[in-house]
Amino acid sequence: MWVGVVSLFPELIRGIATVGVLGRALRQGGLAIEVFNPRDHATDRHGTVDDRPYGGGPGMVMLAEPLLASIGEAKSKAPSAARVVCLSPQGKRLDQAGVERLAGQTSLVLVTGRYEGIDERVLQLAVDEEVSIGDYVLTGGELPAMVLIDAISRLLPGTLGNSESALSESHLDGLLEYPHYTRPETVAGLKVPPVLLSGDHAAVEKWRRAQALRRTWRRRPELLARRRLSDQDAALLEAELEGPDEETNDA
């Protein structure tokens, strides 16, 4: 996948993109990232990319011309027709289904805003959709863009060390993930659930499914409200809620 990022702060994008899962995806060639700076398309010698808003009010607004030129440059460099996504608190809330949909693209252009926002005409002329990572305010769109790229990169073939990791993570099945444990067996008096030490793989899978259901019910009940539970899942959840709460820190 090729991703072009329109940003006034290329160093933010490049710094995050060199480590962890993203770094592996870049090194393996499954992901390519290019950054396009609107300042390179400013029309004056000062590199101006913002101005006061029409109608008055606080802050500054990003100018349309440098942004449109940067988006156009990015689209011209894309190896295939690119979908243009603007990271904005006004966009549709990003979820795993949205990540999977965008991961199906071969080329993306991500537009990151700064200041009070960007000229509305950029959205009308050059943006295909707006995406939000949550209902809160950040200083710019670079971090949301990297959140989206990180989430997409995990779905690219060969990015994760274990291909099963992407299949069992939170939200892929609409549930939160089950609890994880590793050595030692006892930490500060808290023991690993015996089923995980039993060697019974069927019992382990059943326990993990039950824990995922219970954790979702306790922490994110709205996720369960959106889905129809199978008879098996409903029975697992009912049994789990009626039984003792072994995971004492799951509050």
Side-chain angles (χ1 to χ4, degrees):
M1 168 177 275
W2 181 91
V3 180
V5 183
V6 176
S7 170
L8 292 175
F9 297 94
E11 62 275 14
L12 285 178
I13 306 299
R14 297 189 183 110
I16 297 175
T18 58
V19 298
V21 169
L22 286 179
R24 183 184 300 122
L26 290 169
R27 290 190 298 271
Q28 293 180 345
L31 176 68
I33 299 175
E34 290 188 53
V35 186
F36 302 87
N37 193 337
R39 291 193 189 280
D40 296 336
H41 297 281
T43 57
D44 65 353
R45 61 187 179 90
H46 300 293
T48 302
V49 292
D50 62 330
D51 205 340
R52 294 184 179 87
Y54 280 125
M60 305 289 277
V61 175
M62 293 187 70
L63 295 169
E65 290 90 343
L67 279 172
L68 290 171
S70 293
I71 294 170
E73 181 187 8
K75 293 178 71 174
S76 71
K77 296 287 184 65
S80 60
R83 186 165 185 80
V84 181
V85 178
C86 180
L87 283 303
S88 165
Q90 301 176 62
K92 182 179 179 181
R93 178 80 68 87
L94 182 67
D95 57 16
Q96 190 63 33
V99 171
E100 293 176 3
R101 176 177 58 82
L102 292 173
Q105 301 286 322
T106 55
S107 298
L108 287 174
V109 173
L110 306 183
V111 181
T112 68
R114 282 273 161 172
Y115 314 123
E116 288 299 311
I118 67 178
D119 191 299
E120 183 70 17
R121 290 164 292 188
V122 174
L123 303 177
Q124 296 173 338
L125 294 170
V127 172
D128 296 311
E129 66 177 287
E130 295 179 80
V131 169
S132 169
I133 65 167
D135 297 331
Y136 43 84
V137 180
L138 298 173
T139 56
E142 284 79 12
L143 289 177
M146 295 311 297
V147 166
L148 176 56
I149 295 172
D150 184 276
I152 288 174
S153 70
R154 301 178 69 83
L155 302 180
L156 301 179
T159 299
L160 297 180
N162 183 347
S163 60
E164 293 183 359
S165 294
L167 298 177
S168 62
E169 290 175 329
S170 295
H171 297 293
L172 286 182
D173 187 35
L175 301 176
L176 301 185
E177 202 167 3
Y178 52 79
H180 296 277
Y181 296 88
T182 189
R183 294 184 178 90
E185 292 183 18
T186 302
V187 175
L190 298 177
K191 296 183 177 181
V192 175
V195 66
L196 298 180
L197 308 174
S198 68
D200 185 336
H201 297 297
V204 168
E205 289 305 311
K206 181 178 179 180
W207 178 88
R208 285 175 171 170
R209 184 68 177 180
Q211 290 296 307
L213 287 161
R214 183 180 66 82
R215 177 165 282 188
T216 304
W217 180 83
R218 295 188 64 183
R219 298 185 180 185
R220 297 287 305 279
E222 75 278 8
L223 295 178
L224 288 182
R226 299 174 191 165
R227 60 183 291 151
R228 181 183 179 89
L229 292 181
S230 66
D231 291 342
Q232 184 179 12
D233 279 350
L236 281 174
L237 179 58
E238 182 178 0
E240 188 64 29
L241 295 178
E242 290 177 351
D245 187 357
E246 296 179 358
E247 190 186 358
T248 56
N249 288 334
D250 186 14

